[in-house]
Amino acid sequence: MFTTGSKLLIGSALLATIATIAYGIAQGGTLGTIGLASAATALWFLAGVNIYVRDCNVAIDEAGALTVSAAARQAPPSSPWPIVGALGAAALLLSVVTYPAVGIAGLVLLLAATAEWMVQAWSERGSADAAYNDEIRARLAHPLEMPILGVIGAGVIIYSFSRVMLSLTKVGTTVTFSVLAALVLFVAFMFAARPKVSSGTIGGVVGLAVVALVAGGAVAAFSGERDMHVIETTADLAERGRCGTEASEADKKSSQTLAGKTNLAATLTLDDAGILSAEVPGFNESTSRLTLPRSNPNNVVFRNDSDTDRRLVIDVGPSGDMESRTLCTALVEPGGVQFLTVIFDMPTFAVPDGHRFTVPGVESAVVEVTVP
Amino acid sequence: MTHRTRGTAGVTDVANHDRTSMQPATPMTSVTPVSTTRPLRRRAAWLGVAGGAIALSGCATNAPQDTWAPRGENAQMIHDLQWPIFAIAGVVGLIVFVAVGYSVVKFRDRGQPIPEQTHGRPALEIGLTILPAVILAVIAVPTVSTIFALADTDDTDCVINVTGQQWWWEYDYPVLDDGTICGYEPADGLTAAPIITSGQLVMPAGTNVLVRGTSRDVIHSYWIPQLNGKKDMVPGRVHYLRLQSDTPGIYAGQCTEFCGLSHANMRMEAVVLEPADFQRWIDNELAPYEAPEEGTLAAQGETVYVQQCARCHQVNGLVDPLTGDLVVSNPQDHVWSGAAPNLTKLMARNTFAGATWDLLTPECRADVWEAAPEDFGERYLEGVSEACLNTVDLREWLRNSPAKKPMYADAERLEVTDGKVRGMPYLALSEDQIDALLAYLLERK
């Protein structure tokens, strides 16, 4: 009448009950008695369940159960989404003690896993045909999955590519991308020579390239960016008070912008006699005094025609909370030019010392500026 | 029998319809006879009215921005170019319209069979390609030469800096190395300094003026139709525009690049003065500040001005009556463009608020605008007197300027500009304050 498993559980439950009573009477310990009583209760529950399902054994005379019972149905395939969801939930919790970005990633994973799991569960109830179920899942999910996966894939490739480029030296970049270009050419040539190459081969080659790129990107990301050659800007020089005669490297391309060439308020030239003069578009002759508007960018070019490195300097007066602010170009080599954008917040009459362009080290080089 | 009738309601299939008698052979179920002549007449009448209105608008005499009435060499160059091109284009247009009209009428659908289709008429096609090319080439010669002539800056006599911002124009006159402004030396006792004004660009007659234009905020476009063509003023760029006129007078203009809420209220005027009058104008602009007499309404107005207006508007030479300090405006802290009109000589000009409203009453305005060229300078340099002051518009402006001219002037709704206004905000001035301000401003000339 009782199945084997039921007998074992009934015996165990009975033994636990007796042990509980004996222990309770003999020892009187509350904790032990509760523990044994709990074990007895659990065993009696399991025994009851086992008796109800009869050890989950199908009797030999119930042949129909082999085809119509729930257990006879094909089990759904294993799903990765519970694990992914758990990973997302764990990341969400971890973000409390780590970084907000971890939480965002966890939330994305959790939402993606929830959505995918729901769609998969829905599709598995579509019919008894697993192939059909897969098809309806694909019809629903692929229009969302493909663009997202495409964006993620492209992002990973672009990011890897950028890491590689940022970590390589100038020569290394030339060599690496020459080799890469040659490889692309070679592979393309091979495919062209053998037009009937299988899609598997093509996929393998492309996959290998992507893996190599991502691996290279990861290595490059960990090794860090190469040392950048930094040239101080006008703002850097002003902020650090380096507008005197001290040396500073000039960016020779900074004056080559279209705006720098075509939208000049003036070109200031220092000649070899130490005279600074301004050429203003529209005026036929050079001048030693300029009128420049207030509250608007004024682009000027400094041309050094002297035989010594020089820079152009101007004190623009009070600006915001600052009492005074000095702007300057980098040190310009003989024959060189530099670009400077100046904004005057205050009119000249409100600045005690007025506005003027000067060249440190050359007393005679002055162009007076009036801001009305 | 089935045929089609055409009416204003479209095409209707009619079954078993007697074509000659218009009587249905069978009970009519779907056709209501429609008169085609009445709608056509109505359309023709409307077209006639519209065409007549357009034609009549060309007869306007009070059209200060008439591009067909040049008053300077540069505008004359454009005029000399556009007339022949307009004539050529008109003839071509006429030929095309006549040809199209003839074809439409002559070959309209009368139910005739589709004519035989042919492929290509090489002679005609080549001819119709070469002819426009020749016309364009002929037009290109004077066009290109005019463009180059209008871009020439070598003959400049006077440079004036023009800066656009929402929604007014600022003018400043640089001082040259020789201490002159546009070649005019200030009178004895006056210090040469750049003149700064707004709304009205004052220039000497018979002088090649070069406008060096830019903008402080968005793209504007400077256009005085009677003196030259349009020139965009782009922030961060410097643009050049030639202006010249031999005839004293006021020439009106309008910003022609949509620049925001009050684009339509961004106007400008070029004022041409005889050289002697221009000299007087310079001397007046450079004259030192004269404070109002103590105890007068104007003196009260000076205090109100310092408290309410001087944050943005500069009056050169103004000293705070309470502290004795020189008053320096800080429009860069309050206005998005970083500038507000300089009011040192407000009443020496005729307009305010982006040249949108007159400072003169209509009668006094007419005296200036309609003055003969030989009398114009005298009338203009009189400035605005108490009797001629247009207090109606100026009071409305001071009471609530954003209500008079649409502007983004509510600082609490301007997150994008860090709370800086675009235009003049509402200042909640009392009527007494406005009275005092008017008295003070009336002396600024």
Side-chain angles (χ1 to χ4, degrees), chain A residues 149-162:
Chain A
L149 289 175
V151 168
I152 293 172
V156 167
I157 290 172
I158 292 168
Y159 186 75
S160 302
F161 199 82
S162 69

Side-chain angles (χ1 to χ4, degrees), chain A residues 15-42:
Chain A
L15 189 62
T17 306
I18 293 169
T20 305
I21 295 169
Y23 183 83
I25 294 171
Q27 299 294 329
T30 307
L31 191 64
T33 306
I34 291 172
L36 285 168
S38 300
T41 305

Side-chain angles (χ1 to χ4, degrees), chain A residues 259 262-266 280-284 286-289 291-297 299 320 345-347 349-350 370 372, chain B residues 153-154 156 159 161 172 174-177 194 210 212 214-216 236-238 240 314 316 326 328-332 337-338:
Chain A
T262 61
N263 299 298
L264 294 179
V280 182
F283 289 93
N284 296 326
S286 60
T287 177
S288 61
R289 58 199 298 176
T291 301
L292 297 175
R294 182 183 177 186
S295 301
N296 215 23
N299 302 324
D345 278 350
M346 303 300 286
F349 69 78
T370 307
Chain B
T153 60
D154 291 341
T156 300
V159 175
N161 295 321
D172 72 73
V175 179
L176 305 181
D177 262 354
L210 185 68
R212 297 179 71 243
T214 187
S215 166
R216 284 193 171 100
R237 300 198 62 175
V238 181
Y240 302 94
Q314 182 69 45
N316 297 347
L326 192 67
V328 180
S329 65
N330 291 290
Q332 72 277 4
S337 68

Side-chain angles (χ1 to χ4, degrees), chain B residues 108-436:
Chain B
R108 68 184 183 278
D109 180 14
R110 298 192 190 88
Q112 71 271 44
I114 296 173
E116 183 188 353
Q117 301 296 294
T118 58
H119 181 74
R121 286 281 191 90
L124 188 65
E125 290 170 10
I126 291 170
L128 289 179
T129 304
I130 291 176
L131 185 63
V134 170
I135 293 172
L136 288 175
V138 169
I139 289 173
V141 173
T143 302
V144 171
S145 73
T146 303
I147 288 172
F148 276 88
L150 289 172
D152 186 19
T153 60
D154 291 341
D155 57 355
T156 300
D157 301 318
C158 168
V159 175
I160 301 173
N161 295 321
V162 177
T163 309
Q165 51 268 294
Q166 291 172 323
W167 290 272
W168 58 284
W169 295 94
E170 180 183 86
Y171 306 103
D172 72 73
Y173 296 69
V175 179
L176 305 181
D177 262 354
D178 57 6
T180 65
I181 295 173
C182 288
Y184 291 78
E185 193 174 344
D188 290 343
L190 297 177
T191 305
I195 294 171
I196 184 164
T197 181
S198 64
Q200 291 184 322
L201 180 148
V202 180
M203 54 187 265
T207 302
N208 291 327
V209 171
L210 185 68
V211 164
R212 297 179 71 243
T214 187
S215 166
R216 284 193 171 100
D217 40 33
V218 300
I219 301 176
H220 302 279
S221 189
Y222 197 86
W223 191 31
I224 308 280
Q226 290 183 306
L227 299 188
N228 202 340
K230 302 172 184 175
K231 183 64 76 174
D232 278 6
M233 302 297 179
V234 182
R237 300 198 62 175
V238 181
H239 305 271
Y240 302 94
L241 177 71
R242 294 162 57 97
L243 295 179
Q244 187 276 344
S245 178
D246 291 326
T247 313
I250 299 184
Y251 302 100
Q254 166 74 48
C255 175
T256 51
E257 178 74 37
F258 180 73
C259 55
L261 202 57
S262 249
H263 163 65
N265 292 317
M266 187 172 174
R267 300 178 188 174
M268 58 279 209
E269 285 154 7
V271 177
V272 178
L273 297 174
E274 289 290 1
D277 294 329
F278 187 71
Q279 176 73 61
R280 287 174 59 198
W281 179 79
I282 284 179
D283 293 344
N284 181 62
E285 291 289 320
L286 294 176
Y289 176 78
E290 290 182 18
E293 282 185 34
E294 285 186 22
T296 61
L297 188 61
Q300 294 175 32
E302 186 183 55
T303 305
V304 175
Y305 181 89
V306 171
Q307 292 169 345
Q308 299 285 348
C309 314
R311 277 171 292 177
C312 299
H313 293 285
Q314 182 69 45
V315 166
N316 297 347
L318 170 62
V319 175
D320 189 333
L322 300 177
T323 64
D325 295 334
L326 192 67
V327 174
V328 180
S329 65
N330 291 290
Q332 72 277 4
D333 295 337
H334 308 286
V335 188
W336 178 243
S337 68
N342 187 301
L343 302 182
T344 306
K345 300 288 178 181
L346 172 65
M347 295 296 164
R349 43 194 194 246
N350 291 171
T351 57
F352 70 100
T356 306
W357 288 281
D358 288 296
L359 283 167
L360 296 170
T361 59
E363 299 76 25
C364 295
R365 180 187 187 276
D367 282 345
V368 177
W369 278 72
E370 295 168 13
E374 58 273 20
D375 300 329
F376 174 76
E378 191 63 36
R379 299 271 171 83
Y380 180 76
L381 291 173
E382 286 174 4
V384 182
S385 65
E386 187 173 3
C388 282
L389 180 62
N390 173 13
T391 54
V392 176
D393 284 321
L394 193 52
R395 277 182 183 280
E396 285 181 358
W397 176 257
L398 292 173
R399 276 191 200 110
N400 190 353
S401 49
K404 192 160 179 67
K405 180 175 179 175
M407 294 178 285
Y408 304 100
D410 185 349
E412 293 180 359
R413 299 171 64 185
L414 286 172
E415 288 181 13
V416 71
T417 58
D418 297 330
K420 293 180 181 176
V421 296
R422 295 172 186 258
M424 185 163 144
Y426 170 62
L427 295 174
L429 297 173
S430 69
E431 290 302 310
D432 289 342
Q433 286 177 312
I434 291 174
D435 287 342

